[in-house]
Amino acid sequence: MATWKMFLLQDSASPLMEQLSFFHDHTLMILLMITVLVGYLMSSLFFNKYNYRYLLEGQTIEVIWTILPAVTLIFIALPSLRLLYLLDEINNPLVSMKSIGHQWYWSYEYTDFKNIEFDSYMIPTSELKMSNFRLLDVDNRAVLPYNSQIRLMITAADVLHSWTIPALSVKIDATPGRLNQISFLLNRTGLFFGQCSEICGANHSFMPIVIESISPPFFIKWVSKMSET
Ligand code: CUA
């Protein structure tokens, strides 16, 4: 989760988010190289004594400084496109979870099993325990197994919402009358926090998302416990 003074990405909890972090670092390195080169060239202009008054063109240098930026852009564009299409891939999901955005809470349905469904409300500040995170914890967490391909189907009941968990590289709109899907894989256990990121009304800030990532045997236990009630 995000903590104080963080200015880079959160630690990844899925393979795709890890790739996105690598891509972010790769792109920043290219940006740094360009900044240093251009900074050096511009500062060296201040100390230039010679003026080529009759120099009007230089074909060679113009070819070089046209092609070099184009090649640099390819080094960013190709990995970016690779990730874009990888993020859209649904690889044989083991579990499907449905999430519905409401004003202002999320509800979850696990229809692979005996129609498990529940609402997930933020815990109000007045009811917080010492172990809770203010504005981030919910009463019923979405439980999911780790190391399993998960398909998330998402829709909304009233207005636009957006189901967003940065550590999982999931950010998908919940749209009324439309079912969106995305897939991800949790590579460790733990709690993963997210928030709605589509301005959806007065309490937009107060509909957080919490994923509880547990081992598959415990997930099966949770499912059987939930379907009894
Ligand atoms: Cu739901 Cu913002």
Side-chain angles (χ1 to χ4, degrees):
M1 65 179 288
T3 47
W4 299 117
K5 296 175 191 170
M6 274 176 74
F7 67 75
L8 283 181
L9 297 169
Q10 295 177 28
D11 286 348
S12 65
S14 80
L16 279 171
M17 190 57 228
E18 187 180 34
Q19 290 298 311
L20 283 167
S21 292
F22 291 153
F23 175 67
H24 168 266
D25 296 349
H26 164 81
T27 312
L28 266 194
M29 280 308 293
I30 293 177
L31 197 66
L32 186 73
M33 281 154 54
I34 295 170
T35 312
V36 168
L37 179 70
V38 174
Y40 167 73
L41 290 174
M42 286 175 72
S43 62
S44 73
L45 287 177
F46 287 105
F47 307 103
N48 207 343
K49 281 180 271 199
Y50 305 110
N51 289 297
Y52 294 92
R53 281 184 68 192
Y54 301 107
L55 183 73
L56 293 173
E57 58 180 331
Q59 296 294 341
T60 319
I61 192 66
E62 281 173 10
V63 166
I64 291 171
W65 72 41
T66 307
I67 289 175
L68 260 184
V71 173
T72 314
L73 284 180
I74 289 171
F75 274 100
I76 299 171
L78 292 184
S80 170
L81 283 171
R82 186 187 77 112
L83 269 170
L84 181 69
Y85 289 109
L86 228 45
L87 282 165
D88 243 5
E89 202 65 57
I90 308 285
N91 317 292
N92 294 321
L94 286 168
V95 183
S96 294
M97 178 177 78
K98 190 174 163 193
S99 179
I100 302 119
H102 303 262
Q103 278 176 319
W104 288 276
Y105 62 97
W106 295 96
S107 66
Y108 295 96
E109 292 178 6
Y110 295 68
T111 33
D112 287 350
F113 314 101
K114 257 190 170 175
N115 249 2
I116 296 173
E117 48 180 80
F118 54 89
D119 296 340
S120 176
Y121 281 88
M122 184 191 81
I123 299 177
T125 307
S126 55
E127 290 164 30
L128 278 184
K129 297 199 191 83
M130 281 303 282
S131 57
N132 287 142
F133 293 107
R134 192 176 72 94
L135 306 182
L136 229 41
D137 251 311
V138 293
D139 53 359
N140 295 305
R141 301 194 274 244
V143 179
L144 284 172
Y146 83 121
N147 263 347
S148 322
Q149 195 66 34
I150 290 149
R151 169 169 54 182
L152 173 72
M153 288 173 290
I154 185 131
T155 186
D158 33 52
V159 296
L160 276 182
H161 298 274
S162 175
W163 204 93
T164 305
I165 295 199
L168 302 176
S169 73
V170 175
K171 185 170 195 284
I172 186 162
D173 271 9
T175 314
R178 183 185 271 269
L179 191 67
N180 286 327
Q181 70 170 352
I182 197 166
S183 124
F184 57 89
L185 186 135
L186 299 150
N187 57 13
R188 54 194 164 90
T189 54
L191 296 181
F192 303 111
F193 294 89
Q195 285 176 301
C196 177
S197 48
E198 196 72 79
I199 310 296
C200 57
N203 293 327
H204 156 68
S205 332
F206 309 123
M207 49 180 302
I209 303 148
V210 187
I211 291 275
E212 184 175 335
S213 169
I214 58 178
S215 77
F218 278 102
F219 176 72
I220 292 170
K221 276 190 183 173
W222 177 83
V223 162
S224 49
K225 203 191 87 188
M226 288 297 282
S227 46
E228 276 167 21
T229 50

